[in-house]
Amino acid sequence: MSLYTTVQLLGGIGIFLYAIKLISESLQILAGDRLRSIIGMFTRTPIIGVFLGTAVTMIIQSSSATTVMTVSFVDAGLMSLTQAIGVIMGANIGTTITGQILAFRVKDLAYLFVLIGVALMFVCSSKKYKHIGEGLLGFGLLFIGMQTMESSMSFLRTRQDIFISFSNNPLLGLAAGTLLTLLVQSSSATVGLTIALGTQGLLPLEAAIPIILGDNIGTTITAVLAALGTGKTARQACAAHVLFNILGVCIWLPLMPLWIGYIAASSSSIGHQIANAHTLFNICNTLLFLPFVKQFANVIRRIIPDADRIDRRDAVYLDPILIQRTPVVAVSAVCHECREMGRKVLELFKHTENIFFKQHEEEIEAVIKLEDTLDRLEISIRNYASDIMQAGIDGKDADFLAACVVCAGDLERIGDKCKRIIDFYEYRKKRSDDFSQNAMEEIRSIFEETYQVLQMSVAVFDDASFTETERGALDMLADHIRETESALRARHVARLCERKCSPESGLVFIDVLGAIEQIAYRSRKIVDHMTEKQPH
């Protein structure tokens, strides 16, 4: 093998890798962050995850990108391990589309793709068409790289003895495929090179399949690199990817003599046969593991135990890595954090009720801790949102982010009002002339209605689309609380004028009513902000 031939082969691989990078980046930009947010928000079951992982990988032409996003979502707490396994399975299937495209051998159109792509890049002023041009250029370069690799290996037609060992020893082919993919960090490049060798008549199908299987092991290096420096949950997702592919190879490689005949019969072209073997392996492997995703996840947790429960005083979802990789999903993380904040407010409200009406003074410390936590969370959300804006986000997503920040402020103020009610309780304890039984019943009535409004407002973070019936019920209840507060205030002023209660106790009663009404008001505003600014 001469120096020229070596340079030609390496140059062909370089062109091929650059083409894949160009296609992947342009398609990811065209798809936008919304596509990435779909992965994080709509993978409730492993089956849906498989379909989404397949579709997204086919669209952005990069299983590595899908896997990296999945690992970061798991690390941020936006996706469970079982959901992530489904997406990873789908990404393995989606990446096989590149091999299918290469097998069609549309190399005669390669330069036409390059011509159209360059024309769009230099003539069009629209960024959208420029990115389309980059994608077409990458598509053309993909086949030019294939042609270059094939030409550089033509001398091997007289040295087929080099590849006989791959046919006789599948493990050698498996190792070759693994190492090559580890080196170039692109499963598509390994598949492309294997198809090129097969097309040249240098690699029979029984030698090509182990290389393709090794490619599936080598491609996991991307997930391993993505998981470095992350938490245990991300490392679990990475381990799932590695173990899923290794176990699949261990299962299907020994059975190769049983199914290689079906692959050979699937097409008369060796290129198509290799591509079909790649696709069939990943589909069959997914179908084999899919019914046992939960059990598989449990095995992963035994290998890498779950991380210790995060202190609930700290932010759970605000992962800085998300801002760098997927700003739109970082916005979703803010919404998730607001939901957690809302749950803490509900917990705080219940403690307040137990203290104020049932004299459970042992819960006062819990109220103080929760109120401090809400203060810290509100600051964390505000700062995190500021970082997202600086990373670059606009339109409806920016509006939704701003709405979440406002809601976090409202939740923090609700916490302040609960703490204020506890302060009034402490004041009442020191006085002999407490509220009358009638006054306490009036406060309890409006307090319970306010809790209902608060529950409805917190639920908006799970589903920001209220039906007209739900919204009508919320508005009616909030209006009733306001009217009741006003009526009770007027009634109590009348009692003060009639000297049926002391002035100081009367003022505390009015302040407590005002604090409760403010909680209902803030709760209603949360729903207003979330339903008006929800991105579609």
Side-chain angles (χ1 to χ4, degrees):
M1 188 174 183
S2 66
L3 178 62
Y4 173 78
T5 305
T6 303
V7 171
Q8 186 181 14
L9 174 61
L10 294 177
I13 294 174
I15 293 172
F16 190 91
L17 290 172
Y18 176 70
I20 292 173
K21 182 175 182 291
L22 203 60
I23 294 171
S24 177
E25 288 181 351
S26 60
L27 288 175
Q28 286 185 60
I29 292 172
L30 287 169
D33 283 330
R34 179 60 59 209
L35 185 62
R36 304 176 193 188
S37 68
I38 289 174
I39 301 177
M41 292 187 292
F42 300 105
T43 53
R44 290 175 183 159
T45 66
I47 295 176
I48 297 175
V50 169
F51 283 111
L52 275 172
T54 302
V56 170
T57 305
M58 289 174 65
I59 291 171
I60 66 177
Q61 283 292 290
S62 175
S63 62
S64 297
T66 306
T67 303
V68 169
M69 282 189 282
T70 303
V71 169
S72 64
F73 293 165
V74 173
D75 190 42
L78 298 176
M79 185 183 293
S80 69
L81 180 59
T82 53
Q83 291 171 328
I85 291 172
V87 176
I88 289 169
M89 290 176 174
N92 280 6
I93 296 173
T95 194
T96 64
I97 191 65
T98 305
Q100 295 292 345
I101 293 172
L102 293 172
F104 275 105
R105 314 292 297 156
V106 292
K107 60 183 180 180
D108 294 337
L109 300 175
Y111 293 100
L112 179 61
F113 286 128
V114 171
L115 178 64
I116 297 173
V118 171
L120 289 173
M121 289 170 63
F122 285 95
V123 174
C124 297
S125 58
S126 169
K127 287 185 178 181
K128 177 181 178 181
Y129 287 105
K130 284 182 181 292
H131 292 312
I132 292 174
E134 289 175 356
L136 290 174
L137 172 62
F139 200 62
L141 290 176
L142 193 70
F143 290 99
I144 292 173
M146 280 286 292
Q147 291 179 51
T148 306
M149 287 190 290
E150 289 176 8
S151 299
S152 67
M153 292 182 293
S154 59
F155 78 97
L156 290 172
R157 290 174 182 171
T158 60
R159 295 295 311 276
Q160 294 188 22
D161 56 299
I162 296 175
F163 299 96
I164 292 177
S165 56
F166 284 177
S167 299
N168 297 333
N169 190 348
L171 293 179
L172 190 60
L174 185 70
T178 302
L179 289 174
L180 181 59
T181 308
L182 283 171
L183 287 172
V184 300
Q185 291 193 34
S186 171
S187 59
S188 296
T190 304
V191 173
L193 186 61
T194 306
I195 290 175
L197 287 167
T199 304
Q200 291 291 313
L202 300 172
L203 208 60
L205 182 61
E206 58 269 19
I209 288 178
I211 296 176
I212 294 299
L213 295 182
D215 149 86
N216 281 273
I217 296 176
T219 193
T220 60
I221 186 62
T222 308
V224 173
L225 294 174
L228 293 177
T230 59
K232 282 190 176 181
T233 49
R235 294 200 294 273
Q236 286 175 339
C238 169
H241 188 206
V242 174
L243 192 60
F244 171 67
N245 283 16
I246 291 177
L247 287 177
V249 170
C250 291
I251 291 169
W252 295 105
L253 183 62
L255 299 176
M256 190 175 73
L258 300 178
W259 54 272
I260 192 171
Y262 294 101
I263 299 297
S266 66
S267 175
S268 58
S269 164
I270 182 67
H272 279 292
Q273 290 173 357
I274 294 172
N276 291 344
H278 191 207
T279 302
L280 185 64
F281 164 74
N282 283 290
I283 290 177
C284 290
N285 203 31
T286 296
L287 291 176
L288 179 64
F289 277 85
L290 191 56
F292 309 103
V293 168
K294 290 184 179 179
Q295 292 84 348
F296 184 54
N298 290 334
V299 171
I300 298 299
R301 290 191 178 98
R302 285 182 176 273
I303 298 172
I304 303 177
D306 290 330
D308 295 333
R309 183 174 292 274
I310 298 174
D311 190 335
R312 301 299 289 177
R313 294 176 299 174
D314 300 324
V316 178
Y317 296 105
L318 305 185
D319 184 359
I321 297 176
L322 280 179
I323 300 176
Q324 301 169 11
R325 294 177 179 170
T326 52
V328 169
V329 178
V331 175
S332 298
V334 173
C335 183
H336 280 71
E337 200 64 59
C338 286
R339 180 188 63 196
E340 292 300 315
M341 196 174 176
R343 289 173 179 172
K344 291 182 188 298
V345 169
L346 288 172
E347 183 182 350
L348 174 58
F349 198 88
K350 274 299 182 182
H351 284 308
T352 303
E353 179 182 18
N354 290 338
I355 296 166
F356 194 85
F357 296 104
K358 303 176 184 178
Q359 292 80 48
H360 291 180
E361 296 184 13
E362 68 277 5
E363 298 183 32
I364 291 178
E365 185 177 351
V367 168
I368 295 172
K369 289 182 178 179
L370 279 171
E371 201 273 330
D372 288 341
T373 299
L374 293 173
D375 290 343
R376 290 195 300 271
L377 281 176
E378 192 270 336
I379 294 171
S380 298
I381 288 173
R382 190 159 16 97
N383 293 338
Y384 189 79
S386 176
D387 291 340
I388 295 174
M389 294 300 292
Q390 290 179 14
I393 194 171
D394 53 23
K396 291 182 178 179
D397 292 311
D399 292 339
F400 182 64
L401 177 62
C404 288
V405 173
V406 172
C407 290
D410 284 329
L411 289 168
E412 189 274 331
R413 290 179 183 88
I414 290 173
D416 289 342
K417 295 300 179 184
C418 289
K419 178 64 167 53
R420 184 65 174 152
I421 293 173
I422 299 303
D423 291 340
F424 289 138
Y425 169 78
E426 295 279 9
Y427 176 78
R428 286 170 47 220
K429 278 201 321 176
K430 300 174 184 177
R431 297 187 57 82
S432 58
D433 52 340
D434 196 7
F435 297 160
S436 66
Q437 185 65 32
N438 185 46
M440 289 297 290
E441 289 176 0
E442 290 175 341
I443 294 177
R444 180 183 283 276
S445 174
I446 192 174
F447 198 91
E448 290 174 351
E449 290 181 341
T450 300
Y451 182 68
Q452 294 178 40
V453 174
L454 183 57
Q455 280 184 308
M456 296 171 73
S457 72
V458 171
V460 81
F461 295 111
D462 290 315
D463 182 9
S465 55
F466 265 33
T467 64
E468 290 186 11
T469 303
E470 291 172 330
R471 188 54 201 261
L474 173 69
D475 289 339
M476 185 179 299
L477 190 55
D479 287 339
H480 180 260
I481 290 171
R482 191 164 193 173
E483 292 168 0
T484 302
E485 188 270 341
S486 180
L488 292 179
R489 182 188 296 266
R491 193 182 307 166
H492 201 70
V493 169
R495 284 200 293 264
L496 283 171
C497 293
E498 296 171 3
R499 297 185 178 182
K500 292 182 178 180
C501 62
S502 70
E504 289 189 10
S505 294
L507 291 174
V508 171
F509 179 87
I510 290 173
D511 286 341
V512 171
L513 285 178
I516 296 172
E517 192 277 330
Q518 275 295 304
I519 292 173
Y521 170 76
R522 294 286 179 187
S523 301
R524 186 178 192 175
K525 295 302 291 182
I526 288 171
V527 175
D528 289 340
H529 289 300
M530 292 298 292
T531 54
E532 289 172 4
K533 301 299 183 181
Q534 172 73 0
H536 298 287

